Amino acid sequence: MAPPKSSLLSATLASGSSLVLLQLFSRIITFVLNQALVRLVSPQVFGTTSIQFELLLSTILFLSREGVRNALLRAQTDTQHSPDEATTRRLITNVSLLPVLLGIPTAAFSAFAYLAMSSSTTSSQPHFRASVILYALAAFFELLSEPMYIRTQNELRFQVRVRAEGTAVVLKTVTTFLVLVRAPEDWALVAFALGQTVYGLTMLLSFTVACRDNLDFSPKRVTVTKADRTDSLFFEPVLFRLSVAMTGQSVVKHFLTEGDKFLVSRLSPLADQGGYAVAANYGSLIARIVFQPIEETARVFFSKTLPAPSFDSKPKEQKDALRTAATVLLTLLLAFTHLFLLAVTFGPPYLSLAISLVLPRKYLATSAPAILHVYVYYIPMMAFNGVLEAFFASAASPADLRTQSRWMLIFSGAFVAAAVGLARGLDMGDAGLVWANVANLTLRAAYAWAFVRRYFRDREAGDVVGWRRAVPPMPVLAVFAGAGALVRGSGAAYGDVPLDLIAQKGHLATGVACLVGCLLTW
């Protein structure tokens, strides 16, 4: 039985704050580790692990579990409810086993394909094959915990995930660092691989302990009787079809999400891949700490709040649910609009100073500085697209998913053409790939927003959504515009001054004063 909307909202907000704290904790640890790692290892090793190995890991996990995970968040609204609640739970459990079954061939094929396609420069690094095998094994450990992850999410036991991931991040960090410090230099790739393996194993053990009261995850056929018909089933039909549709779509979505890493790994030398990885780690810090938890909790909230397609609830309950969902969505979009204004107002004039203070000197000659300048625009678009696609994933029917998949194929072609054209044709290098990603996210967000408008309009609730409610009032926009002009004028005046805090103190004072004014107006 679904929880009341008020308790669901409270649980979702608690989940969101917990995940933000988790991401803050894990990202601080990861940031400190990376500051040490980029000084301990070469850009070539860092590029291999942070671009190519991470891409291999995310490919296995995304293709194996993402579709099933998103479908099962809707288990309480999209299931064909059985008179027997235990039977319904068993059917859902059977569906939750699909990531494990998909993970075995996906991990084996992905690892084999990666080894076959790796360049001689990459594959000639010490212990390369052993590291690839360890990453595939780490992915499979995570997939083994997926049925238990899905159970705890649907039971709103979000603290289980927070504890599991927090512990796993600490152990991964300690393992990687210790192996790098203690082992010979040629074991650098293995250090990262062992850290990831410890992460996957910790996740599996943590969820096993949390679900130790019932670890019966073997698939079982059940008998369901409806009216005068009796069926023998392994999977709940609606959820299974939705899982298949979302898994098929995840192939295209994964390429769009990780397309820049695909292209960087094929087009750029290892040293520039290291620079790209450093820039991505620094540039996406805020996105991972704040926006990713918000996207995940929004997906849970929308999945549990939006009315079931059968519309078996009362009209007033349907209207209230739609209004609640619209309020949450528009509030998030309004907050992201303010953050976008902050980024574009203060990012460009002060980013060069920040880069000179934070980025290790040997990475200043790579593509990292140029990429970080584009992240000013990339991160806000990640936020907009994330929450809008969270709504889409929570409300879309299989037919909607098929339509979106066709559009995503078009977006994929446009992304590749733009990426190659900007990176090579206009000689923008790896920064061109990020600009192509900005355009890609903009198109995807626009498509999801069009779906949101149509979704509410078809349910006679079109009046509860409108773009004006996601845009700040004119006085706020005017203050941000004035602040942007002032800090850019200050930046031009200090253009020939050395990039250090003392020399740039006047420029910094201007920025602080303008920032206070913008925040007060907000």
Side-chain angles (χ1 to χ4, degrees):
M1 185 174 201
K5 293 295 183 288
S6 58
S7 62
L8 174 61
L9 181 57
S10 299
T12 306
L13 291 174
S15 165
S17 59
S18 297
L19 289 178
V20 168
L21 290 174
L22 168 65
Q23 288 292 340
L24 178 62
F25 168 73
S26 63
R27 288 301 138 193
I28 289 175
I29 291 178
T30 305
F31 181 79
V32 173
L33 173 67
N34 283 339
Q35 287 290 87
L37 294 184
V38 294
R39 290 164 172 80
L40 288 173
V41 300
S42 66
Q44 288 81 358
V45 169
F46 201 72
T48 302
T49 57
S50 297
I51 295 293
Q52 300 195 25
F53 286 177
E54 286 295 324
L55 181 58
L56 171 66
L57 180 72
S58 65
T59 298
I60 297 170
L61 294 176
F62 200 93
L63 298 186
S64 300
R65 75 185 183 189
E66 195 68 16
V68 176
R69 178 179 284 188
N70 289 337
L72 287 182
L73 283 177
R74 297 161 64 169
Q76 293 177 337
T77 58
D78 280 353
T79 53
Q80 297 173 343
H81 293 291
S82 159
D84 183 356
E85 189 175 341
T87 299
T88 300
R89 281 202 303 269
R90 170 49 58 185
L91 290 170
I92 293 172
T93 298
N94 287 346
V95 175
S96 73
L97 295 172
L98 288 175
V100 180
L101 301 176
L102 288 170
I104 297 172
T106 302
F109 176 78
S110 299
F112 176 79
Y114 173 62
L115 288 171
M117 293 189 299
S118 297
S119 67
S120 58
T121 305
T122 303
S123 59
S124 62
Q125 297 177 93
H127 308 294
F128 175 76
R129 290 180 179 273
S131 301
V132 171
I133 293 171
L134 283 174
Y135 264 88
L137 183 63
F140 188 62
F141 282 149
E142 278 198 66
L143 291 173
L144 286 175
S145 68
E146 190 64 14
M148 294 172 281
Y149 170 90
I150 289 170
R151 179 199 288 180
T152 56
Q153 287 290 102
N154 275 324
E155 293 173 356
L156 304 182
R157 296 165 59 194
F158 302 116
Q159 71 280 4
V160 174
R161 177 190 171 185
V162 172
R163 285 197 298 266
E165 290 193 7
T167 305
V169 166
V170 171
L171 293 180
K172 171 186 174 180
T173 302
V174 171
T175 301
T176 305
F177 188 77
L178 288 179
V179 176
L180 276 175
V181 172
R182 295 293 214 175
E185 187 177 348
D186 61 355
W187 282 69
L189 292 181
V190 178
F192 287 91
L194 285 174
Q196 191 62 49
T197 305
V198 168
Y199 179 92
L201 189 57
T202 304
M203 291 288 287
L204 174 59
L205 293 175
S206 298
F207 278 104
T208 300
V209 170
C211 298
R212 61 187 179 277
D213 57 322
N214 182 10
L215 291 173
D216 181 12
F217 287 103
S218 57
K220 290 182 176 61
R221 187 180 292 274
V222 297
T223 301
V224 177
T225 302
K226 287 185 137 188
D228 57 347
R229 179 180 172 182
T230 300
D231 294 320
S232 181
L233 303 171
F234 265 119
F235 303 115
E236 205 288 324
V238 173
L239 283 176
F240 180 72
R241 288 196 295 270
L242 191 60
S243 298
V244 171
M246 287 187 164
T247 299
Q249 188 196 52
S250 67
V251 177
V252 179
K253 189 173 181 181
H254 179 59
F255 177 76
L256 285 174
T257 303
E258 302 285 2
D260 55 336
K261 290 183 180 178
F262 277 111
L263 293 175
V264 165
S265 66
R266 307 312 301 174
L267 299 177
S268 300
L270 278 179
D272 273 352
Q273 290 182 40
Y276 194 95
V278 168
N281 282 330
Y282 290 158
S284 63
L285 202 60
I286 296 175
R288 292 176 184 273
I289 292 174
V290 180
F291 299 146
Q292 183 180 341
I294 289 175
E295 177 185 344
E296 292 178 7
T297 52
R299 188 180 292 115
V300 173
F301 178 75
F302 293 140
S303 296
K304 304 298 182 185
T305 300
L306 295 172
S310 57
F311 291 99
D312 54 358
S313 56
K314 296 178 182 179
K316 185 179 184 305
E317 293 176 350
Q318 294 176 19
K319 194 76 172 179
D320 289 344
L322 290 170
R323 194 173 298 278
T324 300
T327 299
V328 171
L329 176 63
L330 292 172
T331 301
L332 289 174
L333 292 177
L334 179 61
F336 292 163
T337 304
H338 282 90
L339 293 174
F340 172 74
L341 290 173
L342 283 172
V344 299
T345 299
F346 297 98
Y350 294 97
L351 199 55
S352 295
L353 175 60
I355 289 172
S356 69
L357 296 174
V358 176
L359 202 64
R361 187 169 300 277
K362 63 183 175 182
Y363 284 90
L364 293 175
T366 68
S367 57
I371 292 168
L372 284 169
H373 278 87
V374 187
Y375 262 80
V376 171
Y377 307 95
Y378 181 45
I379 292 173
M381 287 314 304
M382 289 173 64
F384 285 119
N385 179 71
V387 72
L388 286 167
E389 287 199 344
F391 186 96
F392 183 93
S394 305
S397 66
D400 294 323
L401 291 171
R402 287 192 294 271
T403 302
Q404 189 198 36
S405 294
R406 289 193 289 270
W407 276 100
M408 280 193 168
L409 285 173
I410 297 174
F411 296 160
S412 297
F415 166 73
V416 172
V420 175
L422 292 172
R424 294 293 182 261
L426 297 181
D427 199 26
M428 296 176 66
D430 292 342
L433 302 181
V434 186
W435 276 119
N437 245 338
V438 173
N440 161 46
L441 288 174
T442 303
L443 290 173
R444 288 167 58 183
Y447 182 91
W449 174 249
F451 172 84
V452 169
R453 295 298 306 273
R454 187 172 68 253
Y455 178 87
F456 283 95
R457 188 171 60 248
D458 291 347
R459 286 151 184 80
E460 300 179 355
D463 58 310
V464 301
V465 292
W467 66 269
R468 291 184 183 278
R469 294 176 59 187
V471 176
M474 283 304 299
V476 175
L477 297 176
V479 169
F480 271 99
L486 286 174
V487 294
R488 280 160 175 77
S490 174
Y494 280 81
D496 297 327
V497 176
L499 291 175
D500 64 70
L501 293 177
I502 302 301
Q504 294 273 338
K505 60 181 183 295
H507 183 39
L508 288 171
T510 302
V512 170
C514 290
L515 177 61
V516 170
C518 289
L519 293 177
L520 289 174
T521 310
W522 177 358

